[in-house]
Amino acid sequence: MGYNTLTKPLNLMPGLSKFLFCEKSAFSTIAPAIPGSQIIGADHTFPSGEGWKTAYIIVDEHTGKAATAGNKGSQTLKNEFSVFLPGIDDATLSFVKKALNDEFITLHKDADCDNPLWLQLGDECKGATMTCDLEIGTTAPDGRKGYILKFTWPGIMYIYTGQITYQPVMSLLLTYNP
């Protein structure tokens, strides 16, 4: 197995800026990666009325990390991307209740404005799963209230370069249908 020469990457700025998700069962087709790469160059497709869902998140608290997992000879990465979903209301509580045992494809937009990438967790074989923690802070100015959503997926994340098709309705209450 050979390796290509690794040159200085264009994308060095830290951070993530935007979060999109869709339950795996809602896609018409989930495009595979180009053979021999981590780039998904084709479009994921959706039936009428479906598409990528958005949620209001705190951008400064949208993070990602990965660590090596598995035994020698079968190692991969365990990715964990987190978003902070502020507030508690019926839409948020209903979303959390439905989403806990589902699989997703998630897109996380890199914050480098000069060289933006959409990083994807999940593929046609296995979706990302969600866990969450509820945080209700004090009434002090640094207190906060909301959910920390953690999406995990085992594998090397993908770069999605296909078309972004948003779901027509942008409310969590109305858009998430497991």
Side-chain angles (χ1 to χ4, degrees), residues 26-89:
F27 290 86
S28 294
T29 58
I30 299 172
I34 296 168
S37 83
Q38 290 303 114
I39 295 174
I40 297 175
D43 300 342
H44 297 318
T45 61
F46 301 91
S48 179
E50 271 295 347
W52 292 105
K53 297 156 177 75
T54 62
Y56 177 79
I57 63 169
I58 304 300
V59 174
D60 292 343
E61 296 186 38
H62 183 186
T63 62
K65 65 181 179 179
T68 304
N71 296 318
K72 187 173 182 175
S74 64
Q75 291 178 329
T76 189
L77 291 179
K78 179 181 178 186
N79 298 277
E80 182 178 282
F81 280 49
S82 298
V83 297
F84 184 69
L85 186 65
I88 297 176
D89 57 18

Side-chain angles (χ1 to χ4, degrees), residues 21-24 79 81 99-108 120-123 125-131 150-154:
F21 67 97
C22 189
E23 60 277 17
K24 191 173 170 221
N79 298 277
F81 280 49
L100 281 173
N101 295 298
D102 211 344
E103 288 190 356
F104 296 89
I105 303 295
T106 63
L107 294 181
H108 307 264
Q120 176 179 311
L121 297 184
D123 61 21
C125 295
K126 182 171 179 52
T129 56
M130 184 191 89
T131 58
K150 297 175 190 167
F151 291 89
T152 57
W153 182 72

Side-chain angles (χ1 to χ4, degrees), residues 11-12 29 40-41 65 72 83 90 110 117 119 143 145 152:
N11 188 319
L12 295 173
T29 58
I40 297 175
K65 65 181 179 179
K72 187 173 182 175
V83 297
D90 184 54
D110 193 284
L117 299 173
L119 306 174
K145 181 187 301 181
T152 57

